[in-house]
Amino acid sequence: MARIGLRIFSQINRPPKALIDSFAGIPAAYIADNLNHTSCMDAKIRPVNDIPLLGPAFTVKLRPGDNLMLHKALDIAQPGDIVVVDAQGDLTNSVMGELMVLWAKQRGIGGFIIDGAIRDIGALKKTDMPIYAAGVTPAGPYKDAPGEINVPVDCGGVLVHPGDILVGDEDGIVVINPCHAPNLLEKSLAKSCAERKAKGDIASMAWDRTWLDQALKERGVIIENRNFPRTNVHAPVKIIVNETDHHIDALAINISMDGILLQAEQQLEPDLSIRLCLPEELGNIDVAAKVTWQQGNNIGCRFVDLSEDNTRAIFDLVLYLHLQRNPG
Ligand SMILES: O=C([O-])CC(=O)C(=O)O
Ligand SMILES: [Mg+2]
């Protein structure tokens, strides 16, 4: 029986090449959106060059700082394989450099993803092989062991099995379970179409934004359109609609130079013109206003057509209330 920590599985199941190749050119982000935010390697795994990555995973688990098993992997990985290295994110010693990459290229290896450090970065930036890594250091590796080849590994916070399909670009890496690949491919192509349409809509100013206010509303967000700081109050206010004698009783919650937040039982349409009679404790001010919004019992009102006297009176009131609540 193979010894744990010292195992090499040289054979892996690779998905059909045609299935892998069908992901060529699809941005990692479009695929990620169809994985519900799972299976993306974390942001520390960065591309060293701008070569897109695509291929089946050939996994290597290293003792941090030790690349003996990675050297062996270079000799047995197949052309097109992406060598995925779990060095436990350790950045003390590099586990790969220029010579290893030159050898990997000679053997037709498809690329590297290394959750650890690399070196000889100047040369690796210029190579035409995709390389992604968590860091760079000139410190060299040990060549000792343990280490394993083609066991499930953790790379960039994602579990990677040998034979998983890897897609990488300047955004990072997504890991695809081959069983999910056909369905994911279909959805990712649909996402490509949707993004193309969105770009056209943006260019023609026809981009649908209605969902946004709806989402904010569902989350109870209140958009304040006032320019002035408000002061909390608690006082009865009469709302007069259509200049009739009939009035609606409301409670003032806060007030600013711009408007007032009231609470009342009645539904009032946005844009409705009203008159407000503020009580003595709010300066006995009689002022025209417009309903700007209503959510439940809360009604936002904006003062309109403020006369000079009313502007002065509201200014004095807001200042007085402010000083009263913030003495000194
Ligand atoms: O010494 C090592 O194993 C890593 C290295 O720098 C190279 O491959 O050039
Ligand atoms: Mg070197």
Side-chain angles (χ1 to χ4, degrees):
M1 191 184 132
R3 293 172 65 195
I4 290 173
L6 293 166
R7 295 175 298 181
I8 296 178
F9 297 96
S10 52
Q11 305 299 321
I12 62 169
N13 289 325
R14 292 173 182 81
K17 188 168 176 337
L19 180 61
I20 297 174
D21 289 350
S22 58
F23 284 91
I26 302 180
Y30 296 2
I31 300 168
D33 276 0
N34 290 300
L35 288 165
N36 289 318
H37 308 280
T38 65
S39 306
C40 297
M41 289 191 188
D42 60 42
K44 72 178 183 193
I45 308 286
R46 296 305 307 149
V48 166
N49 49 38
D50 57 6
I51 320 281
L53 176 146
L54 178 62
F58 188 96
T59 66
V60 185
K61 190 168 174 56
L62 298 183
R63 178 163 77 110
D66 187 309
N67 73 357
L68 187 71
M69 281 297 175
L70 179 52
H71 270 281
K72 182 61 185 170
L74 300 189
D75 287 359
I76 60 174
Q78 295 293 302
D81 285 352
I82 305 295
V83 178
V84 178
V85 177
D86 173 3
Q88 293 183 28
D90 181 80
L91 303 180
T92 317
N93 298 84
S94 58
V95 292
M96 192 184 73
E98 181 185 10
L99 297 181
M100 294 171 77
V101 169
L102 286 173
W103 178 237
K105 269 176 64 74
Q106 291 289 63
R107 294 213 58 254
I109 287 170
F112 288 93
I113 307 171
I114 304 208
D115 197 349
I118 56 175
R119 64 175 175 174
D120 308 327
I121 189 80
L124 302 192
K125 274 184 185 165
K126 291 184 200 124
T127 182
D128 58 0
M129 172 181 277
I131 301 171
Y132 292 67
V136 180
T137 175
Y142 300 99
K143 291 180 172 46
D144 196 3
E148 299 190 304
I149 295 181
N150 286 323
V151 294
V153 296
D154 172 351
C155 189
V158 180
L159 181 65
V160 183
H161 290 88
D164 281 353
I165 299 173
L166 302 158
V167 179
D169 57 28
E170 50 275 71
D171 283 346
I173 306 283
V174 286
V175 182
I176 301 169
N177 177 333
C179 302
H180 304 152
N183 184 262
L184 196 56
L185 175 66
E186 197 179 305
K187 288 185 172 155
S188 303
L189 291 171
K191 172 77 177 158
S192 296
C193 291
E195 292 255 341
R196 224 181 357 262
K197 178 179 178 310
K199 286 176 196 170
D201 289 349
I202 290 169
S204 61
M205 292 297 281
W207 203 26
D208 179 18
R209 310 295 289 157
T210 50
W211 61 272
L212 178 57
D213 283 343
Q214 184 59 32
L216 293 173
K217 194 171 161 198
E218 280 162 15
R219 286 156 184 79
V221 175
I222 293 171
I223 300 174
E224 290 284 355
N225 288 320
R226 301 182 206 190
N227 299 323
F228 298 94
R230 58 178 125 161
T231 307
N232 290 339
V233 291
H234 188 91
V237 168
K238 289 191 172 76
I239 304 176
I240 296 165
V241 185
N242 294 334
E243 292 301 334
T244 57
D245 282 346
H246 173 70
H247 70 260
I248 297 166
D249 285 319
L251 186 67
I253 303 298
N254 62 52
I255 185 165
S256 77
M257 281 301 296
D258 230 14
I260 191 164
L261 174 64
L262 302 173
Q263 278 185 347
E265 298 291 331
Q266 277 79 354
Q267 285 295 311
L268 298 178
E269 289 300 310
D271 267 350
L272 182 70
S273 295
I274 52 178
R275 200 156 60 74
L276 301 174
C277 300
L278 309 191
E280 194 175 349
E281 58 192 292
L282 296 183
N284 265 332
I285 302 167
D286 196 313
V287 61
K290 259 192 191 238
V291 173
T292 48
W293 56 267
Q294 177 156 21
Q295 269 182 13
N297 288 347
N298 290 323
I299 305 169
C301 303
R302 185 166 41 82
F303 301 134
V304 293
D305 304 329
L306 279 182
S307 65
E308 222 169 281
D309 282 355
N310 266 354
T311 306
R312 179 90 225 164
I314 293 171
F315 178 83
D316 288 348
L317 171 68
V318 171
L319 188 64
Y320 168 75
L321 292 170
H322 182 76
L323 292 175
Q324 204 184 33
R325 280 155 183 73
N326 304 282

